[in-house]
Amino acid sequence: MSDTIAVVRDIVADTLAIPLEQVTPRANIIDDLGADSLDVVEMVIRAEERWRIKVPDRDLSTIETAQGFADLLDCLMAETAEARR
């Protein structure tokens, strides 16, 4: 498991106050774990602070699973690293 997905799982579990074991990579954050849109925004803010990146507003609606969220963050971190070169 990548470092990103591990941290994302922690962020999701902490934000939703649920056991980490419930946050599987494929669990739907809204449908399976009970998050609402404000929870997702909180998760994004925590990830932005953790990795010092910016998640574009247009990408908020694409966050469905913990793995998808981690993949998005990995992509944004790579873009940010490339832009800083």
Side-chain angles (χ1 to χ4, degrees):
M1 188 175 305
S2 77
D3 291 339
T4 306
I5 186 62
V7 175
V8 165
R9 288 181 67 227
D10 286 338
I11 289 171
V12 173
D14 188 58
T15 301
L16 299 178
I18 60 174
L20 181 61
E21 296 76 30
Q22 287 185 317
V23 186
T24 63
R26 294 186 183 195
N28 187 290
I29 294 172
I30 293 174
D31 296 337
D32 297 333
L33 304 178
D36 61 25
S37 59
L38 292 177
D39 293 323
V40 173
V41 169
E42 182 178 343
M43 292 174 209
V44 167
I45 290 169
R46 292 177 69 178
E48 289 176 332
E49 291 171 351
R50 165 68 170 80
W51 284 289
R52 296 185 182 124
I53 59 171
K54 175 68 177 131
V55 176
D57 291 342
R58 68 177 180 274
D59 290 335
L60 292 177
S61 63
T62 68
I63 298 169
E64 295 182 358
T65 64
Q67 186 64 60
F69 188 18
D71 292 345
L72 172 64
L73 294 171
D74 282 337
C75 181
L76 293 170
M77 286 186 281
E79 289 174 3
T80 301
E82 186 66 28
R84 290 180 179 162
R85 289 184 184 182

